[in-house]
């Protein structure tokens, strides 16, 4: 599955950190994040209930949900723009994706996970 389709990484809170030494601008490949999508609400309850039932040994462990449905429940996603030497911390239990690009772009980063 593509990291450019909206997904959440786990069924519990987990955090990833990105350090952008050169910052992020529309010229870079950025992360898209649905604010508050990590919180328990009717959609999360439905996802948490349905996905474990339909998973098999070949199922991608990152749950993918159509952007149209995510926008209905959480509104438009945020796409960060930041200055050089910025840290970005995200709860990857929330729905996120890598920005899709159709022209060559770069993303310079140091990335790591924080066990929770």
């Amino acid at each position: 599955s593509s990291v450019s389709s909206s997904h959440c990484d786990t069924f519990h809170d987990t955090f990833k950190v990105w350090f952008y030494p050169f910052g992020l601008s529309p010229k870079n490949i950025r992360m898209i994040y649905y604010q508050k999508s990590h919180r328990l609400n009717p959609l999360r309850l439905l996802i948490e209930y349905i996905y474990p039932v339909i998973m098999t040994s070949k199922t991608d462990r990152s749950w993918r949900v159509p952007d149209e449905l995510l926008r209905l429940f959480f509104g438009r996603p945020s796409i960060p723009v930041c200055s050089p030497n910025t840290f970005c911390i995200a709860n990857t239990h929330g729905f996120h994706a890598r920005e899709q690009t159709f022209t060559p772009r770069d993303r310079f980063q140091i990335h790591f996970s924080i066990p929770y």
Side-chain angles (χ1 to χ4, degrees):
S1 290
S2 170
V3 293
S4 60
S5 62
S6 295
H7 64 282
C8 68
D9 291 354
T10 65
F11 61 91
H12 56 83
D13 288 337
T14 185
F15 298 90
K16 290 186 178 176
V17 177
W18 292 264
F19 172 67
Y20 298 107
F22 305 111
L24 279 179
S25 73
K27 296 178 183 178
N28 306 113
I29 300 170
R30 300 172 294 171
M31 183 172 98
I32 297 168
Y33 192 85
Y34 285 91
Q35 298 287 334
K36 301 179 183 174
S37 64
H38 66 288
R39 294 182 179 170
L40 191 60
N41 60 40
L43 176 61
R44 284 309 305 218
L45 285 173
L46 184 63
I47 292 168
E48 302 283 343
Y49 178 76
I50 290 175
Y51 274 84
V53 173
I54 63 172
M55 289 180 82
T56 69
S57 61
K58 296 180 183 181
T59 301
D60 184 340
R61 299 295 186 240
S62 296
W63 303 339
R64 306 219 181 283
V65 175
D67 284 309
E68 297 78 22
L69 187 59
L70 292 173
R71 278 194 287 277
L72 178 67
F73 279 86
F74 304 114
R76 296 188 60 81
S78 65
I79 303 175
V81 173
C82 61
S83 303
N85 299 317
T86 298
F87 278 96
C88 177
I89 302 172
N91 182 342
T92 54
H93 176 56
F95 286 94
H96 60 282
R98 188 173 296 164
E99 184 178 34
Q100 287 187 317
T101 62
F102 300 102
T103 58
R105 294 192 204 173
D106 294 319
R107 183 166 84 161
F108 296 99
Q109 67 180 16
I110 297 172
H111 170 253
F112 56 95
S113 296
I114 300 174
Y116 184 74

